[in-house]
């Protein structure tokens, strides 16, 4: 399986993709990436725990490459999983 999945047109909204996992905003995404190196404009970056580092360490790189949202698992003590909408950033 590839680290990035490109989609020609936004087929699904983020809310639908994360149904049952997180209360996400209903925004279109043009692809998914597990590596910040594979992010393209409009992608959702899935920041998860890796073998050496957490994907959140690469969130700023993903945003610089055009990620419209960073999806991450929150620390257990917070008691939730989250989706952070960066589309409105200025």
């Amino acid at each position: 399986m590839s680290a990035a999945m490109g989609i020609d047109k936004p087929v699904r909204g983020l809310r639908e993709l994360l149904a049952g996992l997180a209360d996400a905003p209903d925004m279109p995404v043009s692809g998914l990436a597990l590596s910040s190196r594979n992010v393209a404009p409009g992608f959702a970056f899935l920041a998860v725990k890796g073998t050496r580092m957490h994907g959140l360490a690469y969130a700023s790189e993903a945003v610089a490459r055009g990620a419209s949202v960073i999806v991450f698992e929150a620390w257990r003590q917070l008691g939730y999983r989250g989706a952070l909408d960066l589309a409105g950033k200025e």
Side-chain angles (χ1 to χ4, degrees):
M1 180 155 90
S2 172
M5 173 179 57
I7 303 171
D8 290 337
K9 297 178 189 174
V11 176
R12 294 188 175 137
L14 188 63
R15 181 176 290 158
E16 183 180 350
L17 289 171
L18 298 180
L21 298 173
D23 183 20
D26 193 21
M27 59 185 296
V29 294
S30 57
L32 304 173
L34 287 170
S35 171
S36 59
R37 295 180 303 262
N38 296 327
V39 171
F43 271 42
F45 174 56
L46 307 177
V48 296
K49 182 180 177 189
T51 56
R52 289 178 284 187
M53 302 213 36
H54 196 287
L56 285 173
Y58 303 97
S60 60
E61 180 183 344
V63 170
R65 292 178 178 264
S68 59
V69 66
I70 307 295
V71 179
F72 62 94
E73 76 249 288
W75 292 273
R76 288 185 183 175
Q77 64 268 29
L78 296 178
Y80 71 95
R81 295 180 185 203
L84 175 61
D85 180 4
L86 298 176
K89 67 183 184 320
E90 294 189 26

